[in-house]
Amino acid sequence: RCHAKEAADYRVSVHASALLAGNLDSAGCTSCHGEHDIMPPSDPTAPINKTNLAQKVCAECHASVRLTTKYGLSSDTFKTFEDSYHGLAVRGGGVDVVNCASCHGAHAIRSQDDPLSSTNSANLARTCGECHPGANERFAVGRVHASTENKAQSPILYWISLIYTELIVIVVGGMVLHNLFDFLKKTRHKLAVQKGLVVEEPVAHRLYLRMTVHERIQHAILGLSFTALVVTGFMLRYPEAWWVQGIRRISSNAFELRSLSHRVAGVIMMALALWHVGYLLFTKPGRKLLADLLPTRSDFTDPAKVFRYNIGLAKEKPRFGRFCYIEKLEYWAMVWGTILMGVTGIILWFYNISMGHITKLGYDVALTIHFYEAVLATLAIIVWHF
């Protein structure tokens, strides 16, 4: 009687059709708005407020195992939204947020198979274009609700996720074991020295200047930019983490500052990479550094020799030059990681352009690689470098 337009829109929705067919589980007006405590959408505590809609309204049904199983609906629709940039922005406190209604509509929610639906494949470019200027048909190539866990729906993302997960376990696990055996060997050696069972040979000095001042400045900038990227990147991925909540309490616009800081740190790291390449090519210390970091045959045999020494099968530890396999492995992994993170980071930064060329699926591939490479790099720094 009072909301004629909204009622007319609702009558053409899938929810109304289900109710008319006798499905009392389908959503009616009170399912979203409530009954007595109906609040306007502008109220930040209202369930239909833009920041609450997905979690407090849509998730009630579309994240319900009972309802999705009973009616054959996709069980991961809400989860894939929460894990997408749009969902993470809502959870992270973004000001301009996208929720379920932004794409599906508020009252006239139609099936994606309906030609009049805003989420029909023929209309997706126009729907996306409301927020993404210049969106074309390539925006609709790939699943909107993409998941790395659903092999049937997103096989490429599933395999990238699986391969990276196994790679992280193998690589970081190997680093843990390597350092554990090294620590145990050094501990036994220290105890033997304290008990007088082993006499350490005196050395002239224990300081070896491995890097020049120029190289140390590069290293410091790399360390600071890398740390900033890790913090601001995982702030987006894990918005409910205790340390993220602490940052958000300090600053009300933490989400916007996070985005800006992440991009500034990325630009600094890319500029440093160019500076480093120039240093390697055009300075004498740089060319010497590159020569000392190039892999040699002994780098492939030294790990086994060190392992034999650490478990007591060899009496002498291998001798190394300026850099051993440990530093070389980390250096070239850093080179590869910087290139990969730089390329995928640019794709994610200029998402409108990239999706218009490499499709939504290509964007999701870049996003998946960017995340797992960040996890691998962070764990490698913590376990291996520190």
Side-chain angles (χ1 to χ4, degrees):
R1 294 178 180 178
C2 299
H3 304 284
K5 181 182 181 303
E6 287 78 8
D9 287 342
Y10 174 75
R11 287 191 190 100
V12 301
S13 71
V14 290
H15 295 140
S17 300
L19 273 178
L20 289 172
N23 180 355
L24 298 183
D25 286 326
S26 187
C29 303
T30 56
S31 303
C32 304
H33 293 275
E35 295 180 352
H36 300 102
D37 57 344
I38 298 174
M39 294 175 282
S42 57
D43 190 323
T45 63
I48 57 170
N49 181 272
K50 63 181 181 179
T51 58
N52 301 327
L53 182 71
Q55 289 87 352
K56 294 186 178 181
V57 175
C58 303
E60 287 294 313
C61 297
H62 290 278
S64 167
V65 175
R66 182 183 69 85
L67 292 178
T68 54
T69 303
K70 183 177 179 179
Y71 297 107
L73 302 173
S74 176
S75 60
D76 63 353
T77 300
F78 176 70
K79 184 179 185 303
T80 53
F81 168 76
E82 274 221 306
D83 292 342
S84 70
Y85 176 80
H86 295 145
L88 292 170
V90 174
R91 293 159 57 192
V95 177
D96 297 319
V97 298
V98 171
N99 55 42
C100 307
S102 305
C103 302
H104 294 275
H107 300 104
I109 300 173
R110 301 172 183 265
S111 166
Q112 64 180 12
D113 299 323
D114 187 330
L116 297 178
S117 171
S118 57
T119 58
N120 183 276
S121 57
N123 303 324
L124 269 179
R126 183 170 66 252
T127 301
C128 297
E130 293 180 7
C131 297
H132 300 276
N136 56 27
E137 289 73 15
R138 299 183 73 80
F139 270 61
V141 178
R143 293 188 63 84
V144 175
H145 288 274
S147 171
T148 59
E149 299 174 8
N150 195 319
K151 183 180 179 181
Q153 293 182 354
S154 307
I156 296 177
L157 303 184
Y158 171 83
W159 284 110
I160 292 174
S161 172
L162 179 64
I163 291 170
Y164 255 110
T165 301
E166 293 181 349
L167 181 65
I168 290 170
V169 171
I170 293 170
V171 172
V172 178
M175 292 174 173
V176 170
L177 290 176
H178 178 281
N179 289 352
L180 177 62
F181 284 118
D182 183 67
F183 174 75
L184 293 175
K185 177 65 177 180
K186 288 176 178 175
T187 301
R188 290 195 301 267
H189 179 75
K190 287 289 185 182
L191 291 174
V193 171
Q194 290 176 6
K195 294 178 180 179
L197 301 176
V198 175
V199 177
E200 281 190 312
E201 296 182 8
V203 292
H205 62 85
R206 290 196 177 274
L207 174 66
Y208 182 84
L209 194 63
R210 196 186 303 249
M211 294 192 291
T212 65
V213 173
H214 196 161
E215 291 160 7
R216 277 177 272 165
I217 293 173
Q218 293 180 52
H219 184 267
I221 296 173
L222 176 63
L224 291 172
S225 59
F226 179 86
T227 303
L229 285 167
V230 169
V231 171
T232 55
F234 287 133
M235 274 184 69
L236 173 63
R237 186 70 182 195
Y238 304 107
E240 286 91 10
W242 62 270
W243 57 274
V244 178
Q245 293 296 323
I247 294 174
R248 287 176 62 182
R249 281 192 290 270
I250 295 173
S251 173
S252 59
N253 60 340
F255 187 82
E256 285 68 30
L257 292 175
R258 180 216 67 80
S259 178
L260 176 63
S261 302
H262 193 75
R263 290 167 179 173
V264 169
V267 170
I268 291 174
M269 180 174 279
M270 291 300 100
L272 175 64
L274 295 176
W275 173 12
H276 183 66
V277 170
Y279 176 76
L280 295 179
L281 296 178
F282 302 115
T283 69
K284 186 176 180 180
R287 289 191 292 269
K288 172 62 176 170
L289 175 67
L290 179 60
D292 290 339
L293 282 167
L294 289 175
T296 61
R297 184 178 299 178
S298 64
D299 293 321
F300 296 93
T301 59
D302 283 343
K305 294 178 181 178
V306 169
F307 179 73
R308 286 172 53 82
Y309 170 75
N310 284 337
I311 63 174
L313 296 180
K315 293 183 178 181
E316 293 292 330
K317 186 176 182 178
R319 300 285 184 176
F320 305 118
R322 181 183 180 188
F323 300 108
C324 71
Y325 67 91
I326 296 174
E327 293 86 21
K328 293 181 181 180
L329 177 65
E330 186 171 24
Y331 177 82
W332 292 109
M334 179 203 68
V335 171
W336 165 250
T338 301
I339 295 171
L340 197 60
M341 293 298 280
V343 171
T344 55
I346 290 172
I347 291 173
L348 300 180
W349 187 349
F350 301 100
Y351 46 85
N352 282 340
I353 298 173
S354 60
M355 279 194 282
H357 288 86
I358 65 174
T359 74
K360 168 65 165 54
L361 176 60
Y363 172 88
D364 286 334
V365 168
L367 179 63
T368 305
I369 292 174
H370 199 77
F371 168 68
Y372 281 103
E373 187 68 24
V375 173
L376 178 59
T378 303
L379 290 176
I381 290 296
I382 293 172
V383 174
W384 193 250
H385 192 74
F386 287 171

